[in-house]
Structure formats: C-alpha cells, structure tokens
Amino acid sequence: MRIRHLAYVSLMALTLAGCNDALDTASVDLSTVKNKVEQPLPSHILADMAQKGMDRNSPIMIRIFKEEGAMEILKANQSNRFEVIADYKICAWSGRLGPKVKEGDRQAPEGFYMLTPANLNPNSKYYLAINTGFPNRYDAANGRSGANLMIHGACSSSGCYSMTDQQVLEIYAFARDAFKGGQKAIQLEAFPFRMTAENMWKHRLSPNIDFWKMLKVGYDNFEVTKRPPEVEVCEKKYVFNQQASGPFNAGGKCPVMTTPPALQVALSTYDKQYQADYAVAMKKYDDMAWYDPTEAERKAVVAKQRKGHDLAYAPTGTALAAGKMMKVADLEAMMSNQSAQQIARGGTVLSPSTNPSTASIRLATATPAAANPAAETPAMAGQQPAGPVVAANIPANVPIPMANPMNPGLNPLAYAPSPAVETAQTEAKKPPFWKFWAKSE
C-alpha cells in the first residue's frame, strides 16, 4: 500500500509540474501584443515546423484528452501525415469524463467536430475563442443540447475547454494560419482519454463505455493513417472512412458501407496488437477498475498541491491525479453512495463514472473482442461480412471532409465544407479518399 501511495503522490506532483510548465510554455507578454488576431506564432514553433517538413499554412487538427487535461495541435507534414507540433495542459475543464448531454450539465463535449473560420471569435470576452461546434450532427440526432461550448482563454470553464490567454493566442494563430492556407475545416477530436487497451479496460464499467467504443473506431483510424478520419453520421451513430452506396442521413438508416481494402488490412493488424494488449490489461488489473473523480475532487488536489502559492490561475486539475484504481466491489459501493447523496440533495446523476449495477459489471467483464467494437463479427454488428467491422456498428458524426479546391494537392481528409453548404455537398459524389490513402502508402 505504501508503494502505491507513493506512486500516486509522485503522479500528482508530476501532473502539477506539467500544469505549471504548460502555463509558462506560451510565454508571450500579452501587454506587448498589438493585434491578438494576427499575432504570429513564436519563432521556436516555426523552427519546429521547418525541421518537421511542415509548411506554415498547412492543415492542422486538434485532439483533446480530458483525463490528462491535454490538448494537442497536429499539423500536416510534406507527406500529408499529421504529427504533434504543440501540446498544452488544459487550464480548466468542468464536469467529469463523458459527453455533454444537455444544457447546464457542465460537461465539456466529447466527439468529432469540424471548425470553420466562422467558429473563430476574435472579440470574445475570454480574450480569444474558438467555438467547438457543439451540437454537431451526431449530438443533434441524439437530442443533445447546449450552446457556446468553446476553447477560450481566461482559465475558467463551465462546459468549455479553457486555456490561459497566452495558450489560446497560439491555438488561435495555428487555426488562422491553416485557414489562410486554404483549409476549409479543422477537425477537433475530443476524447475522454487515450483509447489504449489499458485505458479501455480501466474504464470498462463506465455507463459511457459504449459511446467511447464508438469514438475509439475514429481514434484507431487516425492511429493507422495519421490523417483525420472522414466522419459521417447515420442511424444516430458515427461512422468513419466508409465507402457508401448512397448519402448519409444522421437519423436515417445507414447506406450499404464497406471499408477500403488497404485500410481494412491496416486496421486488422492494428487490432491484433490491441487484443494482445487488452489481454495483458485484463490480467494486470483483474477485478480492478478506475474511479473517475468529480470536478471538486480534481480541484482539491490542485489546491492542496499549490497551497501557499500564487493562484492567479486556478486550474481544475487532472482526473489522473485525483482518480485511482479500486476493487470493483469497493467502487460499486462508493458510486452507489455518491449517487444516493446526490439524489438526496435533489440532484440527478448525469454522468457517473461507474454504473454500479450488476448487469453493467457482467457486461463489462466480457471478452476482449467485445471491448473493442472494431473486432466484432458481422453477426454481432448486424452488417454484411466484409472483414473487420470498422464503423457500421459504431456511432458516427460531424461535417464531411472534402477535397480543397484551392489546393488539391493537400490531403482531402483534412478538409470539410462549411455548415451552410454541407447538405448539398453531402449528396454530391465525394472524392475517393481511400484511393488517395492507399496510393500514398
């Protein structure tokens, strides 16, 4: 127990140090910024771009990992593969792990969102802001509500991903430059955590696990191709990188879909390693599962670690620092107690970390294949046989990436139409992205 306690203390200290470092990484003196909308990226970032073979105005994508409180900016290199060019510790995010469901639940969105120039707000009261685009087509099809969910400065959040003003100055500049280069839409991928086999096992008891399995398919597609996946929505689900016999309707029946052969093979190989890693995680943690801390518990860790220090910024901390692995029985009892207390106070349990029901636990301890939707059989997914099922059985969403007419030589997966023309373009014949991907391998 003492070793485990020391490990947790060390993790908290490292996380705190990471947050403090992140607050300092974007070290521009804001008093010297004359035009925040046109403020250039720092010279050290431009130097990193040149070293990695990236053009200043090449496409970007954004990835968020709630649990560790991390935001990554990825940029296309000369091979049209996206790699991390900058990363930040999120200063404040509210709620717990899990998607935003309704207005007022204080949850920050999870899913796949497309950001157009219209999403940029240079006049935000929070210094600068980028609207996440919530609710997207998936959210709307599933009756989820909320508005004005942003990435913004000021380090204060109620459903947003809030950064320091210095950080959002850089993030805004990345998006601005990419749009100037011709990118039509930037993909924002917001995940609860990195979708590794170990993390999927740790969180298997969460009532959000089916939603996360769906997101994992998009996550896997990026890990295989290193390009933003093409995202569609049908039957109120996300689907990724699918060749379809007809148009997609968010709430309607999915068209007949197949996975491009080269991508299917790559995903199958990727999944074999995932299954091996999942088996290791099952054995390693056996009857253990992760306790996802409340926002108050995250803040308490930060307050304790920073006691006596300047709290000009009061980050909400990370779930990694405040959460812990627990015996399933103990976790069930804790979550039941939390739920009872919340109900007694007149509240509702919007997004608990763990569903303490016996049925939930039985489902969660199924085989590794069931834990990874990509490995399900056609019979399980209700789809036609076509090798590994990649997307048809998993929720889908968001605007549709299209080739950029301003710069057709760049990755067509990095672009999407603006919301105003999305419907018309959805019905038009799209570029064969799978041929582009296979040809460039």
Side-chain angles (χ1 to χ4, degrees):
M1 289 298 293
R2 178 173 175 78
I3 293 176
R4 180 177 296 177
H5 173 73
L6 291 174
Y8 283 139
V9 171
S10 298
L11 177 59
M12 291 178 185
L14 286 171
T15 302
L16 177 66
C19 185
N20 288 337
D21 288 344
L23 296 179
D24 295 332
T25 50
S27 57
V28 174
D29 181 355
L30 295 181
S31 66
T32 66
V33 176
K34 297 180 179 180
N35 185 345
K36 60 185 179 182
V37 175
E38 295 299 332
Q39 176 70 13
L41 286 166
S43 58
H44 71 88
I45 290 181
L46 296 176
D48 286 345
M49 286 184 192
Q51 185 176 13
K52 293 181 177 181
M54 300 171 177
D55 182 81
R56 179 171 180 169
N57 294 333
S58 69
I60 69 166
M61 62 180 287
I62 302 173
R63 294 210 299 180
I64 289 173
F65 301 101
K66 270 188 183 177
E67 189 170 63
E68 62 188 80
M71 178 181 295
E72 297 177 344
I73 307 296
L74 298 90
K75 198 166 181 65
N77 58 26
Q78 292 176 350
S79 299
N80 285 323
R81 297 297 195 270
F82 285 66
E83 58 179 304
V84 176
I85 188 61
D87 60 272
Y88 308 92
K89 285 294 181 182
I90 298 170
C91 198
W93 60 276
S94 57
R96 302 175 86 161
L97 300 186
K100 183 170 186 64
V101 175
K102 67 179 183 179
E103 181 77 37
D105 62 9
R106 288 184 56 80
Q107 286 292 109
E110 294 176 6
F112 292 76
Y113 299 84
M114 301 305 290
L115 315 177
T116 69
N119 291 76
L120 302 186
N121 182 3
N123 302 311
S124 172
K125 64 180 180 180
Y126 297 108
Y127 196 71
L128 290 168
I130 303 174
N131 194 310
T132 62
F134 180 95
N136 59 25
R137 289 186 297 145
Y138 169 82
D139 300 319
N142 284 276
R144 296 180 175 178
S145 61
N148 301 317
L149 281 300
M150 307 280 184
I151 297 170
H152 61 67
C155 194
S156 175
S157 173
S158 181
C160 297
Y161 292 107
S162 185
M163 318 301 291
T164 67
D165 291 350
Q166 290 90 344
Q167 289 173 330
V168 79
L169 184 68
E170 286 188 7
I171 296 165
Y172 193 97
F174 273 114
R176 177 203 64 218
D177 289 353
F179 287 136
K180 284 183 177 180
Q183 188 170 9
K184 297 301 182 183
I186 295 166
Q187 189 169 106
L188 165 65
E189 302 177 358
F191 298 106
F193 41 76
R194 298 183 190 275
M195 314 298 269
T196 63
E198 184 167 299
N199 280 340
M200 294 299 286
W201 173 259
K202 287 180 178 180
H203 292 278
R204 70 195 183 279
L205 302 187
S206 169
N208 298 306
I209 190 62
D210 287 338
F211 174 71
W212 293 340
K213 287 176 182 177
M214 176 180 64
L215 298 188
K216 183 183 180 298
V217 177
Y219 178 93
D220 291 352
N221 271 255
F222 173 78
E223 291 301 310
V224 166
T225 66
K226 295 303 179 184
R227 293 180 181 147
E230 180 169 311
V231 186
E232 298 284 3
V233 185
C234 58
E235 298 179 10
K236 300 183 180 181
K237 302 175 183 179
Y238 283 116
V239 293
F240 305 92
N241 287 343
Q242 291 293 287
Q243 301 174 30
S245 61
F248 289 88
N249 183 308
K253 184 176 177 59
C254 291
V256 176
M257 298 181 293
T258 58
T259 304
L263 179 58
Q264 183 173 298
V265 170
L267 284 166
S268 179
T269 300
Y270 182 90
D271 186 64
K272 287 180 181 178
Q273 183 59 54
Y274 174 85
Q275 295 299 325
D277 293 342
Y278 196 85
V280 170
M282 290 177 63
K283 183 176 181 180
K284 179 179 179 180
Y285 293 107
D286 194 17
D287 63 342
M288 305 285 287
W290 179 260
Y291 169 68
D292 175 36
T294 64
E295 183 179 349
E297 289 169 329
R298 290 190 284 115
K299 288 181 177 179
V301 169
V302 173
K304 182 177 180 179
Q305 294 294 325
R306 300 187 70 188
K307 187 176 181 179
H309 296 276
D310 179 15
L311 292 179
Y313 285 108
T316 53
T318 73
L320 284 179
K324 58 184 175 181
M325 292 295 291
M326 298 179 64
K327 291 283 187 180
V328 168
D330 295 339
L331 183 58
E332 175 183 336
M334 174 184 285
M335 295 309 299
S336 295
N337 184 51
Q338 283 190 1
S339 298
Q341 290 179 353
Q342 191 166 349
I343 293 173
R345 292 194 296 267
T348 57
V349 184
L350 294 177
S351 182
S353 170
T354 304
N355 185 341
S357 71
T358 304
S360 170
I361 293 175
R362 282 200 301 266
L363 175 65
T365 52
T367 63
N372 180 14
E376 293 182 4
T377 65
M380 293 169 64
Q383 302 297 324
Q384 296 179 349
V389 177
V390 176
N393 62 314
I394 302 139
N397 103 314
V398 182
I400 302 149
M402 306 289 285
N404 176 17
M406 296 179 63
N407 196 344
L410 289 177
N411 175 22
L413 298 188
Y415 303 93
S418 64
V421 298
E422 181 186 341
T423 303
Q425 289 186 331
T426 299
E427 296 174 354
K429 184 177 180 180
K430 295 186 296 181
F433 72 90
W434 56 90
K435 292 184 180 178
F436 179 93
W437 179 78
K439 181 176 67 173
S440 53
E441 286 305 298

Coordinates of all heavy atoms in Angstrom, one line a residue, residues 8-57:
Y8 N 1.1 7.4 -6.3 CA 0.0 8.4 -6.5 C 0.6 9.8 -6.2 O 0.3 10.7 -6.9 CB -1.2 8.1 -5.7 CG -2.1 7.0 -6.2 CD1 -2.6 6.0 -5.3 CD2 -2.3 6.8 -7.6 CE1 -3.4 5.0 -5.8 CE2 -3.1 5.8 -8.0 CZ -3.7 4.9 -7.2 OH -4.5 3.9 -7.6
V9 N 1.3 9.9 -5.1 CA 1.9 11.2 -4.8 C 2.8 11.7 -5.8 O 2.8 12.9 -6.2 CB 2.6 11.1 -3.4 CG1 3.4 12.4 -3.2 CG2 1.6 10.9 -2.3
S10 N 3.6 10.8 -6.4 CA 4.6 11.2 -7.4 C 3.8 11.6 -8.7 O 4.2 12.6 -9.3 CB 5.5 10.0 -7.8 OG 6.3 9.6 -6.6
L11 N 2.7 10.8 -9.0 CA 2.0 11.2 -10.2 C 1.3 12.6 -10.0 O 1.3 13.4 -11.0 CB 0.9 10.1 -10.4 CG -0.1 10.4 -11.6 CD1 0.7 10.4 -12.9 CD2 -1.1 9.3 -11.6
M12 N 0.8 12.8 -8.8 CA 0.2 14.2 -8.6 C 1.2 15.3 -8.8 O 1.0 16.3 -9.4 CB -0.4 14.2 -7.2 CG -1.6 13.3 -7.1 SD -2.3 13.4 -5.4 CE -3.6 12.2 -5.5
A13 N 2.4 15.0 -8.2 CA 3.5 16.1 -8.3 C 3.9 16.3 -9.7 O 4.1 17.4 -10.2 CB 4.7 15.6 -7.5
L14 N 4.0 15.2 -10.5 CA 4.4 15.3 -11.9 C 3.3 16.1 -12.7 O 3.6 16.9 -13.5 CB 4.6 14.0 -12.5 CG 5.9 13.3 -12.1 CD1 6.0 11.8 -12.6 CD2 7.2 14.0 -12.6
T15 N 2.1 15.7 -12.4 CA 1.0 16.4 -13.1 C 0.9 17.9 -12.8 O 0.7 18.7 -13.7 CB -0.4 15.7 -12.7 OG1 -0.3 14.3 -12.9 CG2 -1.5 16.4 -13.4
L16 N 1.1 18.2 -11.5 CA 1.2 19.6 -11.1 C 2.3 20.3 -11.8 O 2.1 21.4 -12.4 CB 1.3 19.8 -9.6 CG 1.4 21.2 -9.1 CD1 0.1 21.9 -9.3 CD2 1.8 21.2 -7.6
A17 N 3.5 19.7 -11.9 CA 4.6 20.3 -12.5 C 4.3 20.5 -14.0 O 4.6 21.6 -14.6 CB 5.8 19.4 -12.4
G18 N 3.6 19.5 -14.6 CA 3.3 19.6 -16.0 C 2.3 20.8 -16.3 O 2.4 21.5 -17.2
C19 N 1.4 21.0 -15.3 CA 0.4 22.1 -15.5 C 1.2 23.4 -15.4 O 0.9 24.4 -16.1 CB -0.7 22.0 -14.4 SG -2.0 23.2 -14.6
N20 N 2.0 23.5 -14.4 CA 2.8 24.8 -14.2 C 3.7 25.1 -15.4 O 3.8 26.2 -15.9 CB 3.7 24.7 -13.0 CG 2.8 24.8 -11.7 OD1 1.7 25.3 -11.7 ND2 3.4 24.3 -10.6
D21 N 4.3 24.0 -16.0 CA 5.1 24.2 -17.2 C 4.2 24.7 -18.3 O 4.6 25.5 -19.1 CB 5.7 22.8 -17.6 CG 6.8 22.4 -16.6 OD1 7.3 23.3 -15.8 OD2 7.3 21.3 -16.6
A22 N 3.0 24.1 -18.4 CA 2.1 24.4 -19.5 C 1.7 25.9 -19.4 O 1.6 26.6 -20.4 CB 0.9 23.6 -19.5
L23 N 1.5 26.4 -18.2 CA 1.2 27.8 -18.0 C 2.3 28.7 -18.5 O 2.0 29.8 -18.9 CB 0.8 28.1 -16.6 CG -0.4 27.3 -16.0 CD1 -0.5 27.7 -14.5 CD2 -1.6 27.6 -16.7
D24 N 3.5 28.2 -18.5 CA 4.6 29.0 -18.9 C 5.1 28.8 -20.4 O 5.9 29.6 -20.9 CB 5.8 28.7 -18.0 CG 5.5 29.1 -16.5 OD1 4.7 30.0 -16.3 OD2 6.1 28.5 -15.6
T25 N 4.6 27.7 -21.0 CA 5.1 27.4 -22.4 C 4.8 28.6 -23.3 O 5.6 28.9 -24.2 CB 4.5 26.1 -22.9 OG1 3.1 26.2 -22.8 CG2 5.0 24.9 -22.2
A26 N 3.6 29.1 -23.3 CA 3.2 30.2 -24.1 C 3.5 31.5 -23.3 O 2.7 32.0 -22.6 CB 1.7 30.2 -24.5
S27 N 4.8 31.9 -23.5 CA 5.3 33.0 -22.6 C 5.3 34.4 -23.1 O 6.0 35.2 -22.7 CB 6.7 32.6 -22.2 OG 7.5 32.5 -23.3
V28 N 4.4 34.6 -24.1 CA 4.3 35.9 -24.7 C 3.8 36.9 -23.7 O 2.8 36.6 -23.0 CB 3.4 35.9 -25.9 CG1 3.2 37.3 -26.5 CG2 4.0 35.0 -27.0
D29 N 4.4 38.1 -23.6 CA 3.9 39.1 -22.7 C 2.7 39.8 -23.4 O 2.9 40.5 -24.4 CB 5.0 40.2 -22.5 CG 4.6 41.3 -21.5 OD1 3.4 41.3 -21.2 OD2 5.4 42.1 -21.2
L30 N 1.5 39.5 -22.9 CA 0.3 40.0 -23.6 C 0.2 41.5 -23.7 O -0.4 42.0 -24.6 CB -0.9 39.5 -22.8 CG -1.1 37.9 -22.8 CD1 -2.4 37.6 -22.1 CD2 -1.2 37.4 -24.2
S31 N 0.9 42.2 -22.8 CA 0.9 43.7 -22.9 C 1.6 44.2 -24.1 O 1.4 45.3 -24.5 CB 1.5 44.3 -21.6 OG 2.9 44.0 -21.5
T32 N 2.4 43.3 -24.7 CA 3.2 43.7 -25.9 C 2.5 43.4 -27.2 O 2.9 43.7 -28.3 CB 4.6 43.1 -25.9 OG1 4.4 41.7 -26.1 CG2 5.3 43.4 -24.6
V33 N 1.4 42.6 -27.1 CA 0.6 42.1 -28.3 C -0.3 43.3 -28.8 O -1.2 43.7 -28.1 CB -0.2 40.9 -27.9 CG1 -1.1 40.5 -29.2 CG2 0.7 39.7 -27.5
K34 N 0.0 43.8 -30.0 CA -0.8 44.9 -30.5 C -2.0 44.4 -31.3 O -3.0 45.1 -31.3 CB 0.1 45.7 -31.4 CG 1.3 46.4 -30.7 CD 2.2 47.2 -31.6 CE 3.3 47.8 -30.9 NZ 4.2 48.6 -31.8
N35 N -1.9 43.2 -31.9 CA -3.1 42.7 -32.6 C -3.1 41.2 -32.4 O -2.5 40.4 -33.0 CB -2.9 43.0 -34.1 CG -4.1 42.6 -35.0 OD1 -4.9 41.8 -34.5 ND2 -4.2 43.0 -36.2
K36 N -4.0 40.9 -31.4 CA -4.0 39.5 -31.0 C -4.5 38.5 -32.1 O -4.1 37.3 -32.2 CB -4.9 39.3 -29.7 CG -6.4 39.7 -29.9 CD -7.1 39.6 -28.6 CE -8.6 40.1 -28.8 NZ -9.3 40.1 -27.5
V37 N -5.3 39.0 -33.0 CA -5.9 38.2 -34.1 C -4.8 37.8 -35.1 O -4.8 36.8 -35.7 CB -7.0 38.9 -34.8 CG1 -7.5 38.2 -36.0 CG2 -8.2 39.1 -33.8
E38 N -3.8 38.7 -35.3 CA -2.7 38.5 -36.3 C -1.4 38.2 -35.6 O -0.4 38.2 -36.3 CB -2.6 39.7 -37.2 CG -3.8 39.9 -38.1 CD -4.1 38.8 -39.0 OE1 -3.2 38.0 -39.4 OE2 -5.3 38.5 -39.4
Q39 N -1.4 38.0 -34.3 CA -0.1 37.7 -33.6 C 0.5 36.4 -34.2 O -0.1 35.4 -34.3 CB -0.4 37.5 -32.1 CG 0.8 37.1 -31.3 CD 1.8 38.2 -31.1 OE1 1.5 39.3 -31.4 NE2 3.0 37.9 -30.7
P40 N 1.8 36.5 -34.7 CA 2.4 35.4 -35.3 C 2.8 34.3 -34.3 O 2.9 34.6 -33.1 CB 3.7 36.0 -35.9 CG 4.0 37.2 -35.1 CD 2.6 37.8 -34.7
L41 N 2.9 33.1 -34.7 CA 3.4 32.0 -33.8 C 4.8 32.3 -33.4 O 5.6 32.9 -34.1 CB 3.3 30.7 -34.6 CG 1.9 30.1 -34.8 CD1 1.9 29.0 -35.8 CD2 1.3 29.6 -33.4
P42 N 5.2 31.8 -32.2 CA 6.6 32.0 -31.7 C 7.6 31.4 -32.6 O 7.3 30.4 -33.3 CB 6.5 31.3 -30.4 CG 5.1 31.3 -29.9 CD 4.3 31.1 -31.2
S43 N 8.8 32.0 -32.6 CA 9.8 31.5 -33.5 C 10.2 30.1 -33.3 O 10.6 29.4 -34.2 CB 11.1 32.5 -33.4 OG 11.5 32.5 -32.0
H44 N 10.2 29.6 -32.0 CA 10.6 28.3 -31.8 C 9.6 27.3 -32.4 O 10.0 26.2 -32.8 CB 10.7 28.0 -30.3 CG 9.4 28.0 -29.5 ND1 8.7 26.8 -29.3 CD2 8.7 29.0 -28.9 CE1 7.6 27.1 -28.6 NE2 7.6 28.4 -28.3
I45 N 8.3 27.6 -32.5 CA 7.3 26.7 -33.1 C 7.6 26.7 -34.6 O 7.5 25.7 -35.3 CB 5.9 27.2 -32.8 CG1 5.6 26.9 -31.3 CG2 4.9 26.5 -33.7 CD1 4.2 27.3 -30.9
L46 N 7.8 27.9 -35.2 CA 8.1 28.0 -36.6 C 9.4 27.2 -37.0 O 9.4 26.5 -38.0 CB 8.3 29.4 -37.1 CG 7.0 30.3 -36.9 CD1 7.4 31.8 -37.3 CD2 5.9 29.8 -37.8
A47 N 10.3 27.2 -36.1 CA 11.6 26.4 -36.3 C 11.3 24.9 -36.3 O 11.8 24.1 -37.1 CB 12.6 26.8 -35.3
D48 N 10.4 24.5 -35.4 CA 10.0 23.1 -35.3 C 9.2 22.7 -36.5 O 9.4 21.5 -37.0 CB 9.1 22.9 -34.1 CG 9.9 22.9 -32.7 OD1 11.1 22.8 -32.8 OD2 9.2 23.0 -31.7
M49 N 8.4 23.5 -37.1 CA 7.7 23.2 -38.3 C 8.7 23.0 -39.4 O 8.6 22.0 -40.2 CB 6.8 24.4 -38.7 CG 5.6 24.6 -37.9 SD 4.6 25.9 -38.5 CE 3.4 26.1 -37.2
A50 N 9.7 23.9 -39.6 CA 10.6 23.7 -40.6 C 11.4 22.4 -40.5 O 11.7 21.7 -41.5 CB 11.6 24.9 -40.6
Q51 N 11.7 22.1 -39.3 CA 12.5 20.8 -39.0 C 11.7 19.6 -39.4 O 12.2 18.6 -39.8 CB 13.0 20.8 -37.6 CG 13.9 19.6 -37.2 CD 14.3 19.7 -35.8 OE1 13.8 20.4 -35.0 NE2 15.3 18.8 -35.5
K52 N 10.4 19.7 -39.2 CA 9.5 18.5 -39.4 C 8.9 18.5 -40.8 O 8.1 17.7 -41.1 CB 8.4 18.5 -38.4 CG 8.9 18.2 -37.0 CD 7.7 18.2 -35.9 CE 8.2 17.9 -34.6 NZ 7.1 17.8 -33.6
G53 N 9.3 19.4 -41.7 CA 8.9 19.5 -43.0 C 7.4 19.9 -43.1 O 6.7 19.5 -44.0
M54 N 7.0 20.9 -42.3 CA 5.7 21.4 -42.3 C 5.6 22.8 -42.9 O 6.5 23.7 -42.5 CB 5.1 21.4 -40.9 CG 5.0 20.1 -40.2 SD 4.5 20.3 -38.5 CE 4.4 18.5 -38.0
D55 N 4.7 23.1 -43.7 CA 4.5 24.5 -44.2 C 3.7 25.3 -43.2 O 2.9 24.7 -42.5 CB 3.7 24.5 -45.5 CG 3.5 25.9 -46.1 OD1 4.5 26.4 -46.7 OD2 2.5 26.4 -45.9
R56 N 4.0 26.5 -43.0 CA 3.4 27.4 -42.0 C 1.9 27.3 -42.1 O 1.1 27.4 -41.1 CB 3.9 28.8 -42.1 CG 3.3 29.7 -41.1 CD 3.9 31.1 -41.1 NE 3.4 32.0 -40.1 CZ 3.9 33.2 -39.8 NH1 5.0 33.5 -40.3 NH2 3.3 33.9 -38.9
N57 N 1.4 27.3 -43.4 CA -0.1 27.3 -43.6 C -0.7 26.0 -43.9 O -1.8 25.9 -44.5 CB -0.4 28.3 -44.7 CG -0.1 29.7 -44.3 OD1 -0.1 30.1 -43.1 ND2 0.2 30.6 -45.3

